[in-house]
Each structure stands twice: as structure tokens, then as C-alpha cells.
Amino acid sequence: MVALNIVEATNRAMAKDKSAGRPYVAVVGGGTSGIGSYAALELAKVHGEVGQAASRGLRVYILGRRASDTLLGELRAACPFGTFEFVQAKDLGLLKDVDRVSSLLIEKETAYSTQEGHAAKVDLLVASQGILSFGGRQDTEEGLEWSMAIGYYGRVRLVDRLLPLLTQTVSPPAVGHVAFVMNPQLEGDIVVDDLSLRNPKAFSLRNRGSHLAIFSTFYMEALAARNPGTLSLVHYYPGGVKSGIAETSNLGFFIRTMFRIALPLMRIVNVPEAESGQRIAFLGTTSVYPPSGDKAARKLPTGTSVSVGADGKVGSGAYRINYNDDSLKNNDKASKYRADGVGEKIYEHTQRAFQTVAAGKKFEE
Ligand SMILES: NC(=O)c1ccc[n+]([C@@H]2O[C@H](COP(=O)([O-])OP(=O)(O)OC[C@H]3O[C@@H](n4cnc5c(N)ncnc54)[C@H](OP(=O)(O)O)[C@@H]3O)[C@@H](O)[C@H]2O)c1
């Protein structure tokens, strides 16, 4: 576990690191509520607290469907010299909407960086958009199961589309970081010959959770291997965190009532909102979460070490991290799938989905 005071001190040091000569840029998918909004708010607080003279500057893009003036007001109050922009999504479970939002983000960030006289770069992408779904299969018009489309396909499409900015080689060198908020502990059996779970017998809550988790880990490993020295990705379990998810997800009366009863009790064991936000900001620490093939000499924050990657190797670029910043113990099932080359199979399946939808067709694999 990385102690919270070390997390906070590291985040302050990152905020004060002016050697980059440009502001810190974060994109927060699902930033309008819950875990994403806490990450945005803590970034703003850290920069606001170190003060304009000491801060390197901050720009945060918030993605979601519902603009939150309250949140934008809080962000601006916490860091008056920062730039906070809401980028409206229609549905990040639709790849065409992810593409539209990504193009808008790249356009906006390129305009800012040109004005400021530096290369456009995204330092941290938080992917926290998601819903709870206990219902049956519901496909989008693009042929993807909707909850998988929001939690996996749309998220990794967002990462793919922002790769030019995440992996931009700038001077001084800076690594792009991805924090994928989900749960690696859901990794279990997957249906290798029906990755989309189209067979009604294969489609169950358990299989969907396991596919979401394994697909996410393996896609991150594939991206880390393809982007050595420039990209670091974390599949992150945030712990229990108070959020709006039970209200915004379409849960039905019974499950919503169960949540209403359970949520106040869970607050006793929940990760506090501010801690959750600080710990997500910390996932952007390159010395602790380096990209694959990292050759740079980096100073580790006191009390930390280079994390063990999802493949069990130290510093391998894609990480499975618990809420307290510990690496999660390796999962035998995922190891077996990795050894059998299932990771590449998932990467290729995902790319085929992207290409099919980009060609204006419905994905039917
Ligand atoms: N909270 C926990 O204890 C916990 C634990 C483990 C994992 N997680 C995971 O963490 C992620 C974040 O959850 P949270 O608890 O912070 O929930 P939340 O408060 O409901 O936040 C979810 C965010 O996703 C956005 N979103 C949902 N559907 C969307 C769509 N179709 N298009 C675009 N944006 C969409 C929402 O924004 P708009 O409504 O504005 O679109 C909101 O900003 C989820 O994937 C959840 O499964 C949460």
C-alpha cells in the first residue's frame, strides 16, 4: 500500500514540476459524476493549493452526457488559474460518438497548445464512464452489447483515438498515462470462441463481468507493448466509493431499493471521495507506473517501488492496481489465457469491431 500522505506529496510535486514547460493536461471520461469527478476535483485542488506561481498549470476536459455547472464551479473555485472544459457526449457506448468526442478533444487541445507554443500532449486519461447493469443483453445500433460498449469498447476506442496525444514525444520527455477504472478482480473464465457473448447460453452476468475485466487488462497489455517508452496504463479497482451509479443506471425497482438500503452502510468501509481522487491522480506517476521498455533514470517517491505489471514483470507498462495502489496478485486464469495468445485474439477482435463500425456496418461477430 502506498500511504495517502505519500500519494498527496507526490501529486503536489507533479503539480509543481515546471520542467515540462506546459500545463498538465487530463481528460476525464465519466468526469461529470462519482469517481471521475473526484479525480478532476483533486487535480484542481492540488494545483490550486500549490498556487499559481508554483503550479505548472492545469487543463482538464470533463466528458459525460450531463453538463454539471456545480462541478465546473467547484473546479474553477479550487483552481482559478486552471482551464476546465466540459465536452458533451451523447453516448460513449456508441463508437461514432466516441470518435466525434475524440476529434473535438484533439481539436481543442491542439488549439490551446498552438496558442501556448508547445506540442499537444495528454498526460492523463481517466476512463471512468460506466453503468451498472443486471439486466439481459441490450445491443446498440452498432451491434455491441451496451454495458460492454460503455465499459470496454467505447473506453478503449477513446484511448486509441487519443493515442496521438497520449504518446506524443515532447521535450522534456513525458509519458502518457491511462487510468481505467473498473475491476481486474472480476477476471475469470471467458468464452474464447464467442467473445461478443452472442450465444444466449453464454451471456450471463458473470461472463459479462469476466469479459469486461479480461478484455480491459489484455487490451492495455497490447497497447503497452505497442507503445514502448511512451504509454503507461493501469486497470484500477477503486474500492467502494460513494457515487451516482445506482441512481443513473437503469437498475429496476428491486435492485435500486436494495442499493438504497445498502449504500449508507457501505459508507463505513468506502474509500473517501478525496482519497479516491488523489489515488487516481497518483496513477499518473511515471516512476511508479513506467511504460514498457523504460530506459529513463527516474526518482521514486519515498516509500514506493516500481509496480509489477499485469504479466508479472516489474515495470512492464500495463498494471492491475488495487484501490490502495498495491499491484493485485496475478490471476491464474488470465495467465493461462495470456500464455495461449488470447490477449492478441481480444485485441484483434476489438480492432475488427472498430473497423466494422467505422465502415458504417453493424458488428456481428
Ligand atoms: N463506485 C464504486 O464503488 C465502484 C467500484 C468499482 C468499480 N466502479 C466503476 O467505476 C466506474 C465509475 O463509476 P462511479 O461509481 O463513479 O459511477 P457514476 O457516479 O455513475 O459515474 C459514471 C460516469 O459515467 C458517465 N456515463 C455513464 N453512462 C454514460 C454514457 N452512456 N455515455 C457517456 N458517459 C456515461 C456518467 O456521466 P453522465 O451521466 O453525465 O453521462 C458519469 O460521469 C464505473 O465503470 C463503475 O462500474 C465503481
Side-chain angles (χ1 to χ4, degrees), residues 168-180:
Q168 172 74 269
T169 47
V170 287
S171 178
V175 168
H177 289 266
V178 175
F180 206 89

Side-chain angles (χ1 to χ4, degrees), residues 4 6 43 100 150 217 261-262 266 284 286 290 349:
L4 183 58
I6 292 173
L43 273 171
R100 182 190 59 82
I150 299 170
T217 298
I261 295 166
M266 281 161 63
T286 304
H349 155 89

Side-chain angles (χ1 to χ4, degrees), residues 95 142 349-365:
L95 301 184
E142 297 175 337
H349 155 89
T350 308
Q351 290 297 320
R352 279 195 298 279
F354 292 169
Q355 284 150 15
T356 308
V357 173
K361 295 185 203 136
K362 206 167 167 173
F363 188 58
E364 288 176 342
E365 180 180 306

Side-chain angles (χ1 to χ4, degrees), residues 39-49 58 60 74-75 78-79 84:
L41 199 51
E42 289 309 304
L43 273 171
K45 281 187 185 161
V46 169
H47 282 259
E49 278 161 20
L58 177 67
V60 181
E74 282 173 350
L75 293 168
C79 182
F84 303 97

Side-chain angles (χ1 to χ4, degrees), residues 22-26 56 121-125 166 174-178 284:
R22 54 178 186 81
Y24 190 83
V25 176
R56 66 180 278 193
K121 169 90 189 164
V122 167
D123 296 284
L124 176 65
L125 166 60
L166 282 162
V175 168
H177 289 266
V178 175

Side-chain angles (χ1 to χ4, degrees), residues 173-343:
V175 168
H177 289 266
V178 175
F180 206 89
V181 183
M182 194 176 292
N183 189 356
Q185 295 161 115
L186 293 177
E187 290 166 3
D189 291 315
I190 60 167
V191 188
V192 178
D193 58 3
D194 182 11
L195 291 175
S196 303
L197 295 175
R198 299 222 182 254
N199 182 342
K201 285 192 185 138
F203 189 84
S204 63
L205 280 185
R206 192 174 171 171
N207 280 351
R208 182 171 56 189
S210 184
H211 276 227
L212 260 175
I214 290 235
F215 283 25
S216 304
T217 298
F218 281 155
Y219 202 86
M220 281 179 237
E221 288 183 40
L223 286 185
R226 282 165 173 81
N227 295 281
T230 55
L231 185 68
S232 162
L233 309 101
V234 174
H235 182 180
Y236 182 65
Y237 174 60
V241 185
K242 179 186 164 200
S243 78
I245 202 156
E247 295 304 321
T248 48
S249 304
N250 187 13
L251 296 179
F253 176 76
F254 178 70
I255 295 178
R256 194 183 302 280
T257 308
M258 297 294 286
F259 264 96
R260 285 204 176 123
I261 295 166
L263 282 177
L265 302 172
M266 281 161 63
R267 283 190 191 136
I268 302 162
V269 289
N270 270 354
V271 177
E273 290 103 287
E275 174 171 351
S276 174
Q278 288 278 346
R279 288 193 180 277
I280 289 184
F282 180 78
L283 300 176
T285 312
T286 304
S287 53
V288 180
Y289 308 105
S292 68
D294 191 34
K295 302 271 189 307
R298 302 187 191 277
K299 194 169 175 302
L300 280 158
T302 316
T304 66
S305 55
V306 180
S307 288
V308 176
D311 59 359
K313 296 180 189 142
V314 173
S316 54
Y319 304 90
R320 297 161 71 255
I321 299 296
N322 206 355
Y323 73 95
N324 60 5
D325 299 301
D326 276 346
S327 296
L328 283 160
K329 204 167 155 286
N330 263 324
N331 168 326
D332 290 345
K333 283 186 177 148
S335 303
K336 166 102 179 43
Y337 288 131
R338 187 177 293 107
D340 291 347
V342 174

Side-chain angles (χ1 to χ4, degrees), residues 30-35 64-66 89 91-93 128-131 146 150 155 181-182 237-241 243-245 248:
T32 53
S33 163
I35 295 168
R65 293 163 302 177
R66 301 163 298 155
D91 179 359
L92 293 178
S128 188
Q129 62 271 37
I131 51 161
W146 193 49
I150 299 170
R155 284 179 175 204
V181 183
M182 194 176 292
Y237 174 60
V241 185
S243 78
I245 202 156
T248 48

